[in-house]
Amino acid sequence: MLNGASRSGCPAPSSDLSGALGKAPLLLIGPVETGSIIIPSQRPKLAAKKRITSLRAPQSPTILLPLEKWPLDASGSLGDAALDGKKLKESQEAVADLQQRLEAASGCVVDTHSCIEGCKVREASLTEAGVSAMRDLQGYLIVVDDVWTVATWDAIRSKLPDYNNGSRIIVTTRIETVAEACSDASVDGDCIYRIKHLNTEDSEKLFLSRAFGREDATLSDDLKVEMDKNLKRCGGLPMAIISIASLLASYKSSESKDMWERVRKSIGSHMESHPTLEGMRQIVTLSFNHLHYYLKGCMMYLSILPEDYVIPKDRLLKRWIAEGLVVEIRGLTLMEVAEAYYNELVSRSMIDRAGDIVTWYDGRVETCRVHDMMLEVMVSKSLESNFVSIVGGPYKGMSYDRIRRLSIHGGEEATEDSPSNKTEAGHSRKNDIEGVKMEQVRSLSMFDPEDHMKVLDRLGKFTLLRVLDLEYCTGIKIEHLRYICRMYLLRFLNLKGTAISEMPEEVGELENLEMLDARETHLKDLPKTVSKLQKLEHLQISNHGNNNGWIARRGQGRMKALRTVNKLVLKCDVNAAQEIGDLQQLRELGIVVDMTDMSSPLVQEVNQKLAESLSKMFSLRWLNIRSTSYDKNAMNFLHDVKSPPRLLQYLRIGAGISKLPDWIGSLNNVVDLFIAWTFVTGDQLFEPVCKLRNLERMHLEVYCYGDRELVARTAHTFPALKELSVDFNGDNMEAVQFQEKSMVKLERLILQFWEREDKTVVGIEHLTNLKEVKLTGTRHNPAFDRGVEQVKAVNMSRPKSDQIKVVVKYE
């Protein structure tokens, strides 16, 4: 029996269905909305996605046809099964036959009064007689559509037969945890198939077929530009594409550009008033209404973001916490609770993951975004309830009687149908930010870096602010910072990407501050008064100079609440090195050991105290440690760490060391490992870490290895390693060799040749699980070209179904 799937995907069958389903009845239990479904193919472990056209179905169980008579069409929709009405009418005989067999097999009374609406099952439960009758069938396929809870699936599953006769059950759901519950465990993992968004080509074909009746329709240049912009907003969701294309189908002439542009800029308003888009809004609203009460506020909060805005997950979670949207749960930190909220919203496809950003200084940063159609509904709900107030861009001209959360956007201005031109209760009409009353604002977010001076010059009026997000507002001056330092209720302060070069001493008066982000600024240090911030949990700072950061001083040990410090600079200060060990709540620590004055007699003592402090940091999950010294033994004090942080998930060592510490082999929770400037030799790079059972990604940065050839031996199996990145931009290492049966799980290999022409890779053919090779370098580089040819040669010996994807990037 095959279970499991999500609305964004359904499971691939684990065995051949051709015999079992050739004459099998199909039963769909559950409401049908517009959407897509996965139809099992006749090849094992595969699923053929069939995009099915729109059907307005009642909220009742609906019967689907046998596979060989399924009325399919090459269009699609957002998340559920739907049938083509015209083709369904042509299948009357199949429906009647199916009706008779289902009534006999399942004990359900089937009514086929309307094929367009679907065949209603008056009693959705399977009777005992029906279950017994199904035993005699050669096989059956049941599609249980739109399951919202695990309890619902358990109730359905308990009534379903399991006679091991090759039959299958497909479940569609919007929620990943439900999909996991529906998916039986197997040696091949779960049986969940996640539907991907349409690519650009398929999106365009679907749009043209709906709007113009044919996929190869020719558009004027103006309409082509507007179509591309509309498709970008749809983000590959079939239902969104169909809805917008249907709305624009009446405006096909080349003079219709203005109408197409108006629809694009005011989709939210059209979703509320136009019948063509109403169904899409209903589906999004249904998903929102099924959220727990504590998730609804977090979801509505996303309406502060502009369209297509990608936000780091940590930044979003910290804002939720500062806004009071995360409730305390005994035994968990607020960050852990916020993480659970986030995972739940991702599981329900309310938030989309947008990929990871990987850098040597911040490690792996997860980002996310909200689909434009989802964002439109959230904005509408937020404005209705005065949860968020938006000024600028398409909302220019809106004003509010009372503002608590203010988000200032830039970009395109309002159109005739924009929200700012629709007078609603509680909203009056004014021109711009100058008419906004600042006194009651609790949260201010700036997403318009080009026109922010009007706001910055009025910062003194924001006396009740708790959240201030000025990321990349380059016009901030010292007088603006002094205004900020008088916001005594402030919990969240984001100054990332600003041009500030000095932080006032008064920052120590922000006694409620929990998060301070001053990365990518011109700050070389923070004032001593920062140690007075007893509630500060997250402190992030970086300068365009690599070695500038927050200088460790005596007194910082009082900051017991600290959980994140991304760049702490330790100079020859024994007391500061010792007090680092007092920060036992730290989960993320980036530390630069400043050995500029190697002649100082305190260097050895400072290193010893730092090793002792690291031995006390039992909560640490993320550690980036490096030195300003080029000495090949600069980090040897790491061998003196008696009790390493066992919970580490990310580790970067970025300075010379005689060999990797012995304790690194005990870090079984490490997922990401970065090695740079260590100059280790022989097997010292792979041997200590090749048995780590959770290590998934390993980055070998410049000068990580001191010998000519780095060899991954047969014994270096790396049981979980999926990604290996090798940077050849150094003088020592000239070749990387993979022996047979080494790195058995490796899927992605990243090779950075840059301008180096004497580098080579040997044994790629031994990486039997490899799926992708990415090569970076300059054009006409012989080493780069050899790498490409090697991968091509390996592909020649592989079957077409197992080809390695080659990604080439020229620098």
Side-chain angles (χ1 to χ4, degrees):
M1 185 182 73
L2 174 70
N3 317 337
S6 69
R7 178 169 299 256
S8 58
C10 297
S14 56
S15 60
D16 196 332
L17 301 179
S18 56
L21 300 179
K23 296 182 180 180
L26 291 165
L27 173 63
L28 174 65
I29 305 174
V32 176
E33 301 162 5
T34 13
S36 301
I37 195 169
I38 298 297
I39 309 303
S41 72
Q42 295 184 357
R43 289 182 294 171
K45 298 184 181 180
L46 293 175
K49 179 167 40 173
K50 303 295 185 179
R51 295 192 293 272
I52 307 167
T53 54
S54 171
L55 165 71
R56 291 187 177 277
Q59 297 290 314
S60 62
T62 304
I63 291 176
L64 304 183
L65 300 178
L67 291 180
E68 70 275 9
K69 297 181 181 180
W70 199 302
L72 300 174
D73 198 310
S75 55
S77 46
L78 180 60
D80 285 322
L83 305 178
D84 184 286
K86 180 179 179 182
K87 293 185 178 181
L88 186 56
K89 283 183 176 180
E90 297 172 355
S91 304
Q92 294 281 1
E93 293 182 2
V95 173
D97 175 65
L98 180 60
Q99 174 190 5
Q100 294 175 5
R101 286 191 284 133
L102 280 173
E103 287 182 347
S106 66
C108 297
V109 180
V110 179
D111 176 17
T112 59
H113 76 285
S114 171
C115 292
I116 293 295
E117 291 185 342
C119 310
K120 297 183 179 179
V121 181
R122 296 195 182 282
E123 183 183 354
S125 61
L126 295 174
T127 65
E128 292 296 329
V131 171
S132 179
M134 293 183 79
R135 181 185 308 175
D136 300 328
L137 290 173
Q138 293 182 358
Y140 55 84
L141 172 62
I142 297 179
V143 181
V144 186
D145 182 61
D146 205 14
V147 179
W148 284 86
T149 66
V150 175
T152 300
W153 166 247
D154 290 341
I156 294 172
R157 178 65 183 86
S158 66
K159 299 296 183 181
L160 295 173
D162 187 3
Y163 298 123
N164 197 26
N165 61 354
S167 298
R168 294 293 182 267
I169 296 174
I170 293 179
V171 179
T172 70
T173 179
R174 314 170 193 226
I175 305 169
E176 188 149 347
T177 52
V178 175
E180 292 169 353
C182 297
S183 176
D184 286 345
S186 69
V187 293
D188 297 322
D190 60 38
C191 297
I192 301 174
Y193 187 91
R194 295 166 178 84
I195 295 179
K196 297 179 181 178
H197 293 175
L198 299 182
N199 59 30
T200 303
E201 182 181 356
D202 288 338
S203 296
E204 184 172 325
K205 288 180 179 179
L206 179 56
F207 182 93
L208 292 174
S209 65
R210 262 314 162 99
F212 293 89
R214 36 192 289 237
E215 294 180 356
D216 58 348
T218 302
L219 277 67
S220 65
D221 292 342
D222 287 343
L223 289 188
K224 178 67 167 62
V225 170
E226 286 304 319
M227 179 187 72
D228 292 342
K229 291 180 179 179
N230 273 299
L231 288 179
K232 182 180 178 182
R233 294 207 64 182
C234 292
L237 289 184
M239 183 182 183
I241 296 170
I242 289 174
S243 300
I244 292 177
S246 300
L247 180 62
L248 297 174
S250 302
Y251 306 95
K252 301 178 182 179
S253 66
S254 58
E255 292 79 20
S256 300
K257 176 183 179 295
D258 290 342
M259 184 59 187
W260 285 41
E261 182 180 5
R262 184 182 303 174
V263 168
R264 173 175 56 84
K265 291 182 177 180
S266 56
I267 291 240
S269 301
H270 283 287
M271 287 175 71
E272 296 176 9
S273 58
H274 203 287
T276 306
L277 298 179
E278 185 180 358
M280 185 165 58
R281 177 182 172 85
Q282 288 177 349
I283 288 178
V284 175
T285 301
L286 182 63
S287 296
F288 177 80
N289 290 340
H290 273 78
L291 293 176
H292 296 291
Y293 72 92
Y294 50 82
L295 293 178
K296 289 182 178 179
C298 294
M299 196 64 210
M300 289 172 63
Y301 190 72
L302 293 168
S303 60
I304 66 169
L305 303 177
E307 292 176 7
D308 300 320
Y309 193 86
V310 176
I311 184 171
K313 182 185 78 171
D314 279 359
R315 179 181 170 196
L316 176 62
L317 268 53
K318 292 167 185 173
R319 290 194 56 145
W320 282 348
I321 293 171
E323 292 277 9
L325 299 174
V326 180
V327 299
E328 293 186 5
I329 297 179
R330 187 173 59 185
L332 296 176
T333 66
L334 286 176
M335 199 65 179
E336 290 170 338
V337 177
E339 181 104 20
Y341 288 4
Y342 174 83
N343 291 336
E344 178 72 9
L345 291 172
V346 170
S347 168
R348 291 173 176 267
S349 301
M350 305 290 283
I351 294 177
D352 296 331
R353 286 194 170 99
D356 295 344
I357 300 173
V358 181
T359 59
W360 66 266
Y361 44 87
D362 280 336
R364 185 172 300 273
V365 177
E366 183 178 338
T367 64
C368 62
R369 66 181 298 272
V370 184
H371 192 279
D372 284 353
M373 301 303 157
M374 181 73 70
L375 184 62
E376 290 288 357
V377 176
M378 293 304 105
V379 168
S380 176
K381 288 186 173 294
S382 295
L383 295 180
E384 287 172 6
S385 60
N386 203 27
F387 187 80
V388 167
S389 305
I390 309 175
V391 175
Y395 306 95
K396 187 173 182 178
M398 292 192 74
S399 183
Y400 310 86
D401 291 337
R402 185 179 181 185
I403 298 178
R404 295 182 62 84
R405 300 179 178 93
L406 176 61
S407 180
I408 301 176
H409 292 191
E412 295 179 290
E413 295 190 1
T415 64
E416 182 179 340
D417 295 320
S418 295
S420 60
N421 288 303
K422 299 178 84 66
T423 304
E424 302 178 20
H427 300 286
S428 57
R429 293 291 312 281
K430 292 188 180 179
N431 290 326
D432 54 22
I433 190 65
E434 294 178 352
V436 174
K437 297 179 180 179
M438 307 296 189
E439 290 76 11
Q440 301 298 320
V441 178
R442 302 292 197 274
S443 170
L444 173 62
S445 306
M446 286 286 297
F447 297 101
D448 184 12
E450 296 180 359
D451 186 23
H452 50 256
M453 292 308 299
K454 293 178 182 178
V455 180
L456 295 180
D457 290 340
R458 300 179 65 189
L459 278 178
K461 297 183 178 181
F462 290 89
T463 55
L464 299 179
L465 272 186
R466 287 156 171 79
V467 173
L468 179 58
D469 197 331
L470 300 177
E471 187 165 307
Y472 294 113
C473 290
T474 54
I476 296 180
K477 301 177 181 178
I478 188 66
E479 55 264 30
H480 299 135
L481 291 177
R482 291 197 173 97
Y483 287 140
I484 293 172
C485 290
R486 292 200 291 268
M487 299 175 181
Y488 302 117
L489 300 177
L490 203 61
R491 298 176 182 172
F492 177 101
L493 176 58
N494 184 4
L495 300 171
K496 180 181 178 181
T498 61
I500 60 173
S501 58
E502 179 185 358
M503 182 69 75
E505 295 278 340
E506 292 82 1
V507 70
E509 303 302 319
L510 300 177
E511 59 183 27
N512 291 295
L513 195 63
E514 298 172 357
M515 188 275 189
L516 172 61
D517 189 344
R519 289 173 293 173
E520 300 178 31
T521 63
H522 298 287
L523 290 173
K524 296 182 179 180
D525 189 14
L526 291 172
K528 297 178 182 179
T529 55
V530 167
S531 61
K532 296 167 59 178
L533 302 177
Q534 303 296 303
K535 294 183 180 180
L536 191 65
E537 296 186 11
H538 307 281
L539 193 160
Q540 296 172 287
I541 180 175
S542 66
N543 185 289
H544 300 292
N546 283 339
N547 297 323
N548 292 313
W550 180 37
I551 297 177
R553 296 183 181 86
R554 186 172 185 175
Q556 68 189 12
R558 298 194 301 266
M559 303 174 71
K560 304 294 186 182
L562 274 176
R563 297 180 180 274
T564 302
V565 178
N566 76 315
K567 197 171 185 182
L568 184 67
V569 179
L570 178 62
K571 295 182 177 290
C572 287
D573 188 330
V574 176
N575 292 324
Q578 185 173 355
E579 287 194 16
I580 292 174
D582 296 335
L583 305 177
Q584 296 190 18
Q585 296 298 317
L586 271 179
R587 296 202 171 197
E588 298 184 16
L589 174 62
I591 186 167
V592 180
V593 183
D594 189 342
M595 296 185 179
T596 305
D597 187 9
M598 289 291 292
S599 61
S600 172
L602 294 177
V603 169
Q604 188 65 32
E605 187 177 358
V606 168
N607 288 345
Q608 188 62 39
K609 291 296 183 183
L610 179 57
E612 293 175 5
S613 292
L614 291 175
S615 299
K616 300 176 183 179
M617 311 192 90
F618 306 112
S619 298
L620 210 58
R621 266 76 166 175
W622 191 98
L623 176 62
N624 181 352
I625 185 166
R626 59 190 180 91
S627 171
T628 59
S629 172
Y630 290 99
D631 190 300
K632 292 186 178 181
N633 296 312
M635 304 294 285
N636 273 1
F637 66 88
L638 290 178
H639 296 296
D640 298 326
V641 176
K642 305 300 183 185
S643 179
R646 303 288 183 183
L647 300 178
L648 270 183
Q649 299 172 4
Y650 171 97
L651 174 62
R652 182 180 186 272
I653 298 177
I657 191 169
S658 59
K659 66 172 187 174
L660 294 183
D662 294 336
W663 49 259
I664 201 171
S666 66
L667 301 179
N668 283 315
N669 290 297
V670 165
V671 176
D672 289 277
L673 179 63
F674 288 66
I675 305 292
W677 295 92
T678 51
F679 295 99
V680 295
T681 58
D683 288 339
Q684 275 301 312
L685 195 55
F686 286 149
E687 187 68 31
V689 297
C690 67
K691 299 292 192 297
L692 293 178
R693 57 176 178 260
N694 287 307
L695 180 62
E696 294 184 4
R697 294 174 290 268
M698 188 172 183
H699 295 254
L700 305 181
E701 300 179 48
V702 62
Y703 293 112
C704 65
Y705 194 65
D707 284 346
R708 294 298 179 188
E709 184 177 43
L710 174 63
V711 181
R713 306 191 184 280
T714 300
H716 301 158
T717 55
F718 287 92
L721 191 68
K722 294 182 179 180
E723 179 178 302
L724 176 67
S725 177
V726 181
D727 189 337
F728 278 111
N729 194 23
D731 297 327
N732 297 71
M733 185 171 59
E734 295 180 355
V736 175
Q737 178 184 351
F738 300 97
Q739 292 186 354
E740 192 173 357
K741 296 183 180 180
S742 63
M743 298 190 176
V744 293
K745 294 290 183 66
L746 193 69
E747 296 180 358
R748 190 166 188 251
L749 177 63
I750 303 171
L751 303 171
Q752 301 177 64
F753 292 99
W754 306 111
E755 297 180 353
R756 303 289 176 159
E757 299 182 359
D758 57 344
K759 310 300 182 180
T760 186
V761 180
V762 180
I764 292 180
E765 67 275 10
H766 295 148
L767 302 174
T768 56
N769 204 46
L770 195 63
K771 294 178 173 55
E772 179 183 335
V773 175
K774 180 178 180 180
L775 303 103
T776 301
T778 56
R779 292 182 184 273
H780 311 300
N781 181 347
F784 184 91
D785 295 337
R786 281 196 304 270
V788 174
E789 293 302 319
Q790 280 181 286
V791 181
K792 289 182 178 179
V794 173
N795 274 339
M796 292 288 290
S797 63
R798 286 192 173 198
K800 289 185 178 181
S801 60
D802 192 28
Q803 294 286 289
I804 300 173
K805 178 182 178 182
V806 182
V807 179
V808 175
K809 182 180 179 182
Y810 293 107
E811 293 289 343

